[in-house]
Amino acid sequence: MTKPIIGIAGNQLIHAADVFHGNQVSYTPQGFVAGVQQTGGLPFVLPIGTPESASAYIEKIDKLLLAGGQDVSPEFYGEEPHPKLEETNKNRDKFELALISEAIKQKKPIFTVCRGTQLLNVALGGTLYQDLSQYSDWKVKHSQEPTAPEFPTHSITTEKGSILSRLLGEHYQVNSYHHQAIHTLAPDLTVTARAADGIIEGVEGKQADSRILGVQWHPELIFHKEPKELGLFDYFVNEL
Ligand code: MN
């Protein structure tokens, strides 16, 4: 059987002074590669390229995975940088925005994690909290450092009838490494999970034919311990 080709949008290590002799590298966290491999997919890591090259990349893959990483540049949702904004990479933003747009155009399924989910929301017309301190009801620790990612630390409640509800149940616990979050939801997305303080932790495409799943936590860092997290990869690779 032909394995589905999963394009994983890569990152570029800019401040690489301590590794690879300071040379820049294109990479993705190994958990994404392993999660796709273990569920029967063939992972292709896509290095950051020009937005114009996105359509050619999307033609070569069956599904698109967007990983975590830098903050999304606020100019892409019409805001000036908040003082608590952290590192951004505009080249990555532009390339991944183009990948999302092409994947939707070419009807390829999209799975997004953390920053990927935030960028997806921006790509579809939504906005972000540049820092959770901008959210008045912020009550949950969403940056769980220094607790290791294999330990889920906060609860989520999933929406009835959603993909996440089917895969994870109504109440579930996730790991959490984000200081940004979805603010205004994009019109074509629907919320499928929230933390106890109301922060959006899961989204799906709203249209009946859309094949989009996004989570705010990091299944790639915990699936080796939690079968339900591997189940997210399995769903993406084999069903979405
Ligand atoms: Mn969280």
Side-chain angles (χ1 to χ4, degrees), residues 118-133:
Q118 295 163 1
L119 190 78
L120 171 74
N121 184 57
V122 169
L124 299 179
T127 67
L128 305 179
Y129 293 111
Q130 294 190 41
D131 185 79
L132 283 170
S133 58

Side-chain angles (χ1 to χ4, degrees), residues 142 154 176 178 201 216:
H142 289 278
H154 79 66
S176 198
H178 57 111
E201 293 277 342
Q216 182 58 70

Side-chain angles (χ1 to χ4, degrees), residues 5 9 31 47 78 94 128 132 142 144 192 233:
I5 295 171
K94 286 181 183 168
L128 305 179
L132 283 170
H142 289 278
Q144 73 177 51
T192 60
F233 281 98

Side-chain angles (χ1 to χ4, degrees), residues 89-141:
N89 182 331
K90 210 174 289 188
N91 291 340
R92 185 182 183 193
D93 291 342
K94 286 181 183 168
F95 181 57
E96 292 187 348
L97 286 167
L99 288 176
I100 292 169
S101 156
E102 274 298 325
I104 290 170
K105 199 162 131 193
Q106 297 184 31
K107 300 191 187 313
K108 307 272 170 94
I110 305 173
F111 178 41
T112 61
V113 166
C114 197
R115 159 206 157 80
T117 301
Q118 295 163 1
L119 190 78
L120 171 74
N121 184 57
V122 169
L124 299 179
T127 67
L128 305 179
Y129 293 111
Q130 294 190 41
D131 185 79
L132 283 170
S133 58
Q134 294 180 300
Y135 176 56
S136 54
D137 288 333
W138 180 30
K139 291 187 183 81
V140 169
K141 184 173 167 73

Side-chain angles (χ1 to χ4, degrees), residues 173-187:
Q173 273 219 326
V174 297
N175 58 20
S176 198
Y177 290 90
H178 57 111
H179 82 106
Q180 299 201 306
I182 291 175
H183 181 188
T184 311
L185 186 70

